[in-house]
Structures are given as structure tokens and as C-alpha cells.
Amino acid sequence: MGRFKNQGIYLVWYLSIFFYLFFLTTTISNAGTSIALACSILTTICVYRRENIKVSFPDKSFLWPFGLFFLSLLVSALALKDGKSLYSTWKYFTWTIPFWVFYFSGKAHFPRQVHSFATLAANFLLSGYAIYLALFLLPLGSRVKGFSSSPNLYAMRIESILPYICLIALLVMQQNRNKVRSTSQRIKKVIIFLSVTSCFAGVLLTQSRGAYMGVFFGFVFVVCIHFLLRKKVSAKNIVVIVFMLFALLCAAFYAYHNNFKRGYDRERLLLWQSSYTMWNDHKVVGVGFANWQKEYREHYISPAAKEPNLPMPHNVVVQLFATTGLIGGIGYLLFVLGETGFLVKRMQRFPNELNYPMMLWAFSLITIHGMVDAGITNKFAMQILCAYMGICLAEDQLSTDVREEQLKGDW
């Protein structure tokens, strides 16, 4: 790219991708997101043509579960002959566009720093606004909902970028480990420290139990996988595991004795019971991807339910089995297991690379959160997850290409 680096197209490319990731993550402007998306696609195509870059796709081990999941949703909608569900399935698939944009731009050697700057800027806006509301505008102890319609949705946005904020922090620490201390490095450390602490604070201020569960259990899962893959459990590792278990017990004790229950908890159980009945009546193809709310209100709502207009059952597994039957429900489970297996194998094969555990953490936390909320059936959560998946998979493919070239050279 050297001979083209001074041309304006690359500046537009960098700015387009920066603003696309920023607007996509913060969700503060639909118009900004759409304009940045269009510019990102056009400039990426220009770069591919200028540099004669060959189009290549992600690893098949990643694509198979991804493709099977959406294929199962499509088959379910076609079997029902439900135009509304077919349209909703197509619309759901369009939420994966960020994956392809960031994957193909990343494959064109897009600068990683631009992604990092966009992520940090988005975090400071999301978390900073949450902290500002909590300190100056809301009564003490109030749940912060930020730019969203509910605290749970705002938490989903902040927690979705938390693993990547931590990844940026770890990479900066690695780069500065053996360097002489300077003013610029101290400034970097301060920025990174503020980023990580503000992101955790933002999640905490939403008081979203689903977010707490996702972040904590997702992290524990990744750490346990890391230890198991190493097949050596040192005294230090045992201390870390014991500390985590102790923290888990303390969190459970705190939740139990500080009335962490909420009035709508029983409503969630009623939703799941109604959804199970819905699936039991339509086992194979479900009631239709777009029809859960309609079917629930007209046929399956419990007499004890107090919220008749809820759009989802607050559990992704329950929702997909009820709306797409065994076909879509099993497709989702294969998707979760397949992508988890892909990332675990990558962690095993390349133990020193940080992209894979962070992506596994991000994928795990949104999946766990989805057990009590919308998860990846929420538009913004799915788009943010896909965006960072695209970034990670592009870097994975580039690293694989480099390794293959090195092996050819060694041979």
C-alpha cells in the first residue's frame, strides 16, 4: 500500500471505517451509521481494485456454524410459508453486514490503530455518559439507561465492547513492557486505565444482572479454557481459580441479602412457560420468526401475566425454539457450539495471541446475557458482535497467511 498511502482515498477510507465503528457501537445516529457504512463499502472496493487484492473468505470452520444458523432460520420461514417471518429473517441477516465490512477492510491491511481509536472513543461516550448521569442527573442508586430505552439495552452495548477495551489495554502493556518510560507512554497508560475502569463502571451503573452474569461467567469460562489448554495448573493458577470461586460466592451472597430480585422476575418465568407451550404446539418449525409477540398475546399469555405487550420472552434459546422450532433452535445451538469450538481450537493452536480469548469472552458474555434478555436477537448487540468478529477474523486470516509464508520460506 506504500505507493498509494498519500492519496486521499485512504484518508477517506480510514475516516469512514472509524466513524462506522463509532456510530455502530454508540448507536447515537442512524444517519451517521448509514452514511459511514456506504462510504466504508465504496472505499474498501476502491482499495481492493487499486491494490489488486484477491477476495478471500474467513476460515470454513467459522463460516459453517454461521451459515447453518441462518440457513436453519430460512428453512423454518420457508416451511411455514410466512412472508412476514421470511422478511424478518432476511432483515436479521442484514445485521451481519458489519462482519463483512470489517473483515474485508481488515484483509486489505486496514490499520488496527483506527479500530482501537474508534473503540476507545465509543467507550468514553457510552461509559462517560453513564457516569455523568449517575453523578449529576439521577437520584443515587438509580439504574442508568443512557441513550437506550432501558438499562438492560444500554448495558448490552457497553459490555459488548468491554473485552476489546481490555484487549487494547493488554496490547499497549505488551508494547511498552521493554521500552524506556516517556511522557507519551504515561499518557497512554492513563488513557487505558480510564478506559478500562470507565467501561466496567458503565456496566455496573446499569445494574443489569444479565450483563453482570455475562461479563463475569464469560470471563471465568475463558480463564478456565485457558488453563485447561495449557494442561499445567500451577500454584498461581489454583490461587486465581479459588479467588474467582470465592468472588462468585460473595456475589451470590450479596445478591441474595441485598434484595437483588426484581418485581418482573416472576413475569420472566411465565414468559418461558408460555413459550415452551408455544414450541410444544409447533415443534418442528415454530410459530414464525416474526410472530412471537402476536402468538403470545392472542393464544399463550398466562392469566397471571401483567405485561401483555412484551416483544420477546427474554431468553434467546426459548425464543428461537418457539419461533423457529427444532430447525432454528438446533441451528442456534450448533452456531454457539461451533463458534466456541472454533475459538477454543484457535486458542490451543496459537496460545500467545490475545484476539481469540477476547473474542471468546465477547461471544460468551452476549450468549450468557441472552439467557435472560435479547442477546444476539437484539439488533445493536448482534451488529456490534459481528463488527468485532470481522476485525478478529481478518487479523486471524492475515496471521495465518503470514505463518504459511514463513513455513514456505523455512522449507
Side-chain angles (χ1 to χ4, degrees):
M1 193 182 291
R3 64 187 178 198
F4 297 114
K5 64 182 179 181
N6 295 322
Q7 295 191 18
I9 186 65
Y10 290 99
L11 177 60
V12 177
W13 191 38
Y14 299 159
L15 290 174
S16 298
I17 295 291
F18 173 90
F19 282 111
Y20 182 45
L21 185 58
F22 175 78
F23 284 128
L24 192 73
T25 307
T26 58
T27 69
I28 59 172
S29 171
N30 290 330
T33 304
S34 299
I35 294 170
L37 170 60
C39 293
S40 297
I41 294 173
L42 291 174
T43 50
T44 300
I45 292 172
C46 288
V47 170
Y48 267 72
R49 294 189 64 181
R50 282 174 176 267
E51 298 288 347
N52 294 318
I53 300 171
K54 293 182 179 179
V55 175
S56 60
F57 291 92
D59 191 289
K60 292 180 182 178
S61 301
F62 173 84
L63 284 182
W64 271 113
F66 198 83
L68 281 174
F69 173 46
F70 283 98
L71 180 62
S72 69
L73 300 182
L74 178 62
V75 169
S76 174
L78 288 173
L80 275 173
K81 298 179 181 178
D82 180 16
K84 187 178 179 183
S85 292
L86 190 61
Y87 172 75
S88 294
T89 301
W90 165 249
K91 189 175 179 181
Y92 186 49
F93 179 74
T94 63
W95 297 354
T96 68
I97 288 175
F99 171 82
W100 303 103
V101 172
F102 288 104
Y103 173 77
F104 286 117
S105 63
K107 279 287 290 176
H109 297 274
F110 188 86
R112 185 175 191 166
Q113 296 89 332
V114 178
H115 294 143
S116 299
F117 291 146
T119 303
L120 291 172
N123 171 62
F124 279 126
L125 179 60
L126 288 171
S127 301
Y129 187 57
I131 294 169
Y132 168 74
L133 290 175
L135 291 178
F136 301 108
L137 296 182
L138 296 175
L140 184 64
S142 298
R143 299 183 66 192
V144 173
K145 65 178 182 179
F147 307 118
S148 302
S149 58
S150 74
N152 289 332
L153 292 179
Y154 202 60
M156 213 174 290
R157 297 175 193 183
I158 301 176
E159 69 178 319
S160 293
I161 64 173
L162 175 59
Y164 302 99
I165 293 294
C166 294
L167 174 61
I168 294 169
L170 290 173
L171 291 174
V172 169
M173 290 170 61
Q174 281 185 346
Q175 292 170 357
N176 296 333
R177 185 173 295 171
N178 299 319
K179 293 182 179 179
V180 179
R181 294 181 180 178
S182 64
T183 303
S184 63
Q185 288 175 359
R186 290 192 180 97
I187 293 173
K188 277 185 181 179
K189 289 181 179 179
V190 170
I191 293 173
I192 291 302
F193 174 78
L194 291 175
S195 299
V196 174
T197 53
S198 65
C199 199
F200 273 104
V203 173
L204 290 172
L205 288 170
T206 63
Q207 299 180 34
S208 169
R209 295 170 300 174
Y212 294 174
M213 287 169 54
V215 170
F216 181 77
F217 288 112
F219 179 74
V220 170
F221 174 68
V222 173
V223 170
C224 290
I225 291 294
H226 173 74
F227 287 156
L228 289 172
L229 291 178
R230 288 198 169 192
K231 298 180 180 178
K232 292 181 180 179
V233 183
S234 63
K236 181 180 178 180
N237 293 344
I238 293 174
V239 170
V240 172
I241 293 173
V242 170
F243 175 77
M244 286 183 173
L245 292 174
F246 178 72
L248 175 61
L249 290 173
C250 289
F253 181 82
Y254 173 83
Y256 179 77
H257 284 278
N258 287 273
N259 195 26
F260 215 39
K261 295 180 180 180
R262 295 193 177 126
Y264 51 76
D265 287 346
R266 188 168 179 273
E267 193 80 12
R268 298 280 172 88
L269 294 176
L270 294 175
L271 286 172
W272 299 348
Q273 291 170 5
S274 297
S275 297
Y276 172 77
T277 305
M278 193 184 299
W279 169 73
N280 203 34
D281 291 343
H282 306 83
K283 279 191 173 68
V284 180
V285 295
V287 298
F289 193 52
N291 299 331
W292 184 89
Q293 186 178 37
K294 175 178 175 293
E295 291 293 324
Y296 175 69
R297 279 172 26 179
E298 293 180 3
H299 304 293
Y300 294 98
I301 188 169
S302 169
K306 299 178 181 178
E307 299 179 76
N309 296 316
L310 292 173
M312 59 177 180
H314 289 273
N315 184 302
V316 174
V317 178
V318 168
Q319 181 178 359
L320 288 173
F321 269 94
T323 57
T324 60
L326 287 171
I327 296 175
I330 292 174
Y332 172 72
L333 295 179
L334 290 175
F335 168 67
V336 171
L337 294 175
E339 302 306 359
T340 300
F342 168 79
L343 291 170
V344 170
K345 287 181 180 178
R346 279 294 196 270
M347 287 173 62
Q348 183 178 22
R349 190 177 176 189
F350 308 114
N352 295 324
E353 295 199 14
L354 298 173
N355 268 327
Y356 310 120
M358 291 304 165
M359 185 174 167
L360 181 59
W361 186 14
F363 186 64
S364 300
L365 71 83
I366 203 65
T367 301
I368 294 169
H369 194 164
M371 298 301 291
V372 293
D373 210 325
I376 63 168
T377 57
N378 173 263
K379 177 181 178 180
F380 302 115
M382 184 65 166
Q383 288 180 326
I384 295 170
L385 177 66
C386 285
Y388 286 102
M389 273 186 167
I391 293 170
C392 180
L393 263 292
E395 293 179 4
D396 169 74
Q397 195 66 45
L398 289 172
S399 299
T400 301
D401 294 343
V402 169
R403 293 186 196 102
E404 288 178 353
E405 289 298 321
Q406 289 174 343
L407 288 173
K408 289 178 182 177
D410 293 340
W411 177 255

